[in-house]
Amino acid sequence: MAPPPPEPPRRPPVPASRRAALFSADREQPVEGLVAHVLEFGEELRGEGLAVGTSELLDAFAALPRVPWHEQATFRETLATTLAKSPEDRRLFDQVFDRFFFRASELAAVEEGVREGGMTGDTQGGGGEVDVDDLRRQIAAMIAAGDEDALRDLARLAIHAFGRMGDGSGVVGVDVQRIRRRLELRAEPQSEQPQEPPRHDALPHAGLRRFEQLLREELERRQIERTGTLPPARPLNDLSRALPSGPLADLANVHRVVAQLKRRLKTQGLEQRGSRRHAHVDVRRTMRASLETGGVPVVLKYRPVRPRRPEIFVLCDVSTSVTSASVFFLSVLHALHDSFRRMRSFVFIERISEVTEVFQHERDFKAASAVIGRDAGVADISGYTDYGRVWREFLEQVEDELHPRATVIVLGDARTNGRDPAVGVFGQIAARAGRTYWLNPEPRLYWNYGDSVIGTYAPYCETFECWTTAQLEDFVKALTAPRAATGR
Amino acid sequence: MAAELASAESVAQGLREVGYLADAPTALVSYLAAQLGKPILVEGPAGVGKTQLAKSLAQMTGRTLVRLQCYEGLDEAKALYEWNYRKQLLRIQAEAEGAGWSAVQDDIFGSEFLLERPLLSAISSPDPVVLLIDEIDKTDQEFEAMLLELLSDFQITIPELGRIEASSMPLVLLTSNNSRELTEALKRRCLYLWLDYPELEHELEIVRLHAPGLDEAIRRRLVEIVAMIRDLDLKKPPSIAESIDWARALLLLGARDLDERTLRETMSVIVKHRTDMDLVAERVGVKLGPPQEAPDGAPAA
């Protein structure tokens, strides 16, 4: 391991009291300086679910002495490239980095009694009213220029200006929004406002978010300075942890994952084609080819490996109880159609109707879903799902085609609205088909509550919870896995 | 170590000289990879210059670029090495009489009968090279596992010959479009670099570098439009290469302004799907508005 880099000269030696550290107060043997902080930071990352191994940390320590690590951007990028190894990890990394080092520096400031003069507000007299219009214009200009430092100064100025008008609510989030509203910074164009640039035009979303974040940081800093203590550390909540998508809400993201899924499905079906593991020599063709070389089998001919292409039947619920999920499901259906030629799809509410043709003719997802919405002929009288009827109709239509090589996939929430679930008929379908899967768009927590009867179907099929794209991927893995691995 | 790889700034400078504008993280990671002798795993959407980064690094350092394009079903025989089976057979036939088994065996498993594939040639080359393993996510997991020995120790084990160690330290780049989650083991051995579409100013500079003749106002407008198009939900968003192509096309056509009509006429340079084109014409074209003044003289076709 590389020797620990020296402390930067501008900082005084670390007092022993501080090392007891930020989050684990009962550490017995505090380690010195920067190394300790980076190790602790690694521990934080692990706490948030990143796979940071010792080898990653060693890489980080090997890398740091080779770069000008006292520059914040460089320090951050160096740690990021060695510790965070996927876009998701990087997102988490950035959040944890901000939180960790903000707290670390604040803690140091508190313990060493550093206070900022002037800007604390309470002590200042009425020296110069801040012109709100001017402030707004400057903020817009700095957002456009992307000048981080200037923006931070402006955030302080804004807090200062508005802090004195009414002394803040004490809740950081509320104050941030209050200041933003007061400044009339919006992301949408406001045609009713006068033609003056920053008011009338929209500000870029990203820049505005950045400014809000700075406001938040500065407000927290003030709070810490007032009280002299750090608020307790909070883990990231699920919202900031997840990628910016409630996958079911964010159609674009769904498309992205589905596109990925398509590629993956293509690969998975073919993966055995190139590998020689299961290749058998085709003796007849080899002998024939050897005639060219006087009977010596110089060129070996192999039997081609035929990828397994299952026949798939998909049943998709499009009733109102799964409205948000059905867009998701339909796009999944669409993706599956591109990858499996022998596939029949059905949508159902009260009765079923086949939409295979729609998907075969319509390459574009939006058009396909419009057609289905318009005239796929989903017999919909009450708008409530009737699973019993659906199973019977399905069995009637495809009875002869179900065989042990067929796969049946049901996309639905298994909410019967109190009607007969007809488990027996579903059992018959499952028995005839080789494999049966059920994808449920509800979190597992809600299963079997109310009119959900997924539990009664579960013995006949493999159930998957499917409301995030990651879960969808799990399912695709199971679907395309070799049969032996998934045998029930 | 080549002089160009002495610091992150000099890497950025060197890359700029060969026509690749790297942002700070890219230069930093490239520098660290050279310093630490670790491979870089580069991920990002298609067309942000992942492959180009490897090419430019090779050009900058004056090293040879050894490229392994990955695809489904790629195996050792095509990536590492293969025994020249026919030559071996001929050899056996040539000395069928008299030679003992062990002599023949020693003979036919010599380096003379070894066909070098990209990975082996990269590490056995006497001069350091830049090794580009392109689209690693297209291969199977088994292939990834096979790479591990190469990536961490820069060596390849051939059962009949023993271990072949790298005689020079190659600079390794792996690219991925993130179509499949790579294994932890592979990631662990690499530095990670996420390349995204560049910021507006950065892309402006890139276009300026590659299409210097274009009017500055049009160039800015072009980059803004491309950014706008990327925000739409397209099948294939335009990449940096396509922005450059578009700039060159406009230059060639002698366009004086980017209005709705010019966009319609030249859209095919940046948008490559029929449905996408409709969407772009509908959403972006309207924003641009019709030509301001009557166009005197159509662009030379």
Side-chain angles (χ1 to χ4, degrees), chain B residues 254-265:
Chain B
R256 255 162 297 170
D257 189 23
L258 248 182
D259 50 34
E260 193 181 356
R261 210 173 54 112
T262 327
L263 175 69
R264 259 177 213 287
E265 280 166 355

Side-chain angles (χ1 to χ4, degrees), chain B residues 109-122:
Chain B
F109 288 113
S111 49
E112 188 189 344
F113 296 95
L114 202 63
L115 292 174
E116 280 191 1
R117 302 295 186 208
L119 294 184
L120 183 59
S121 66

